[in-house]
Amino acid sequence: MSASASKTIVYARLVVDGTGRPPIENGAVRIEGTKIAAVGPAAALAPAPGEVVTEIDLRPHTVIPGLIDVHTHLGLAGDGRGYEDMALDSDEMMVLAGVMNLQKHLRAGVTTVRDNGERNRVGFALREGIERGYVVGPRLLACGRPITCTGGHFHWCNEVADGADEIRRSVRRLVHEGADHIKIMASGGGTRGTVPGRPSYSVEELHAASHEAHTLGRLTVAHCRAKESMVRAVHAGLDLIEHAEFLDPDGVMRYDPKIAEMMQEAGVYVSPTLQAFGYPTILRLRRKRDRVDLTPAEADLLARCEARLETHLDHFRRMLDAGLRERMVTGSDSGCGELAFGHLDYDIQLFAQGGLTPTETLHAATRVAAEAIGLGDTLGTLAPGKEADLAIVDGDPTRDVGALSRVVAVFKAGQRVD
Ligand SMILES: [Zn+2]
């Protein structure tokens, strides 16, 4: 640390460092430059006589590590349109949507975002815009474009590859362009003409992606709504499974304990994207129901969304029981459909509903998520030497995850966000 690095001390009623240690009451975090220099009781971190330090008193509140969202689509507006409509937007409009979305997430305490797929160079442009200081946003890890089969989910992003050779070429192309990780669509999804319950690639094809990516030092993530795609992703050595929806080809979710056991043995991370299955609709219709009667069509939609969410939560609980508690990470899938940015807290609420304790839920959104994206050494907990990414929340998140919906201040790399 250079002598000229700016020094800041943030005081809080509670400091929750994300390691599982008990909260520090009347605590403080000392920041030097972009990094955390010390964490402890306020009295122990007070400035030395004559030391020039900016002191920020946030004493009614709690300091936690900045939140991490492992799954977004920054170029999509999350305004309820289908993919076919959103894909009519120009790349330029997608970049503008991305600028808006980055700010919404950052203000909600999300200091690191892993983007899982944009069209053309939209994801890379956003990352470079942040690095150049043109745009304020969280740290951004971008895959660039997701790899998909001919006619597959997100084919309009323009990284179509069939067969192991083409997939290897796609991985090399993406890494050359600057991909931080590799995303591959292992099953169909919400894109018209694809079938969510069916796999898109063979084990051999998925293995080509994971092997090439790992050779080039990149982690991999697979979109897996089909049960069979989950099995193949594990066999192929992919690092993180998105959605994990256990869908059969007939479109029905049926949990399979053998697959959960396979995932646990392989040590794969899981981002179940719990809010991505109609949760905003559920919240909207429940709020409306509190004021007026729902129409029969609305009541029916609400009932169907709630039933589906219950199945997801039941599967989530069973995956926890299968030994995946420390492998679950928060991913919002923001941008798609009605999933507006700024609401990683929906995932957090659902993780807690699904059976994680408040502390485990916080870890899923911080320490475990940092490990899952390969940044456990620099992010995810409040510890000396780590990046000074902090969220300041109203309440004690080790007792009530609702505190994570009440973000009152954010620091990224030691800088307070306006
Ligand atoms: Zn997605």
Side-chain angles (χ1 to χ4, degrees):
M1 189 61 57
S2 78
S4 62
S6 68
K7 296 176 182 175
T8 304
I9 300 175
V10 179
Y11 298 99
R13 185 173 72 82
L14 290 177
V15 174
V16 178
D17 68 6
T19 65
R21 276 193 283 270
I24 303 165
E25 288 189 42
N26 198 10
V29 177
R30 179 185 268 264
I31 299 167
E32 294 186 8
T34 62
K35 302 257 197 304
I36 295 169
V39 181
L45 267 59
E51 191 184 17
V52 180
V53 182
T54 306
E55 295 179 89
I56 300 178
D57 190 350
L58 295 164
R59 212 139 351 189
H61 303 302
T62 300
V63 180
I64 61 170
L67 303 175
I68 299 174
D69 187 346
V70 305
H71 188 159
T72 70
H73 299 281
L74 282 161
L76 305 181
D79 56 7
R81 287 179 291 159
Y83 292 125
E84 284 68 26
D85 270 354
M86 289 194 188
L88 296 175
D89 285 351
S90 63
D91 288 359
E92 292 83 354
M93 195 54 69
M94 289 180 172
V95 170
L96 289 172
V99 170
M100 168 183 77
N101 290 334
L102 286 166
Q103 292 170 6
K104 284 185 179 174
H105 248 36
L106 186 60
R107 279 199 294 267
V110 179
T111 50
T112 301
V113 163
R114 186 192 233 190
D115 192 81
N116 273 343
E118 304 302 327
R119 189 171 62 202
N120 300 332
R121 294 191 50 82
V122 167
F124 296 138
L126 285 166
R127 189 185 60 194
E128 193 169 344
I130 296 168
E131 284 165 5
R132 291 191 192 190
Y134 295 177
V135 180
V136 176
R139 290 169 202 287
L140 176 54
L141 303 185
C143 73
R145 299 173 294 279
I147 299 172
T148 196
C149 66
T150 292
H153 186 43
F154 274 54
H155 63 82
W156 45 269
C157 289
N158 299 323
E159 194 62 52
V160 169
D162 299 306
D165 284 346
E166 284 187 16
I167 288 170
R168 267 190 290 274
R169 192 176 299 134
S170 280
V171 172
R172 290 170 185 169
R173 176 168 42 233
L174 288 161
V175 171
H176 177 75
E177 288 183 39
D180 294 303
H181 62 284
I182 294 295
K183 166 87 181 282
I184 188 161
M185 299 300 195
S187 77
T191 303
R192 192 177 299 154
T194 72
V195 183
R198 291 193 185 274
S200 305
Y201 282 126
S202 65
V203 173
E204 186 204 358
E205 288 173 308
L206 295 176
H207 183 260
S210 73
H211 186 265
E212 195 63 23
H214 292 160
T215 300
L216 297 173
R218 300 302 191 277
L219 291 173
T220 53
V221 49
H223 161 100
C224 294
R225 292 184 61 186
K227 184 183 282 179
E228 176 61 21
S229 67
M230 295 165 67
V231 173
R232 294 183 186 182
V234 172
H235 283 313
L238 290 154
D239 302 298
L240 192 153
I241 289 181
E242 293 286 352
H243 310 305
E245 206 180 348
F246 291 96
L247 276 182
D248 280 321
D250 62 2
V252 177
M253 291 179 268
R254 295 184 190 90
Y255 184 77
D256 183 339
K258 289 195 295 297
I259 296 174
E261 195 179 312
M262 278 177 62
M263 293 195 295
Q264 194 273 330
E265 278 172 12
V268 73
Y269 288 93
V270 181
S271 160
T273 60
L274 292 176
Q275 69 171 290
F277 304 99
Y279 194 55
T281 298
I282 290 172
L283 294 178
R284 177 170 56 79
L285 291 175
R286 282 180 185 165
R287 277 194 296 267
K288 186 172 181 191
R289 189 181 57 189
D290 289 342
R291 301 191 319 271
V292 292
D293 286 341
L294 297 180
T295 67
E298 286 170 335
D300 180 57
L301 175 62
L302 178 58
R304 278 185 290 122
C305 287
E306 285 177 335
R308 192 166 170 221
L309 178 61
E310 260 325 302
T311 304
H312 277 288
L313 289 173
D314 175 52
H315 292 177
F316 181 77
R317 276 179 212 110
R318 295 208 229 174
M319 284 192 278
L320 300 185
D321 291 344
L324 288 162
R325 294 186 97 80
E326 276 274 317
R327 282 291 178 276
M328 290 293 174
V329 292
T330 49
S332 66
D333 216 355
S334 292
C336 295
E338 57 179 2
L339 298 165
F341 277 75
H343 278 293
L344 187 64
D345 63 328
Y346 290 168
D347 241 45
I348 285 165
Q349 291 163 17
L350 292 170
F351 271 41
Q353 273 184 47
L356 287 183
T357 66
T359 296
E360 288 172 330
T361 302
L362 176 67
H363 292 172
T366 53
R367 178 176 54 77
V368 183
E371 289 162 5
I373 61 175
L375 295 175
D377 290 343
T378 52
L379 301 176
T381 60
L382 303 178
K386 286 200 169 180
E387 296 291 330
D389 289 1
L390 323 176
I392 289 82
V393 301
D394 174 19
D396 178 357
T398 66
R399 293 165 188 271
D400 167 25
V401 294
L404 300 173
S405 300
R406 299 187 296 271
V407 174
V408 296
V410 179
F411 289 76
K412 179 197 163 194
Q415 293 292 312
R416 188 168 181 176
V417 176
D418 288 334

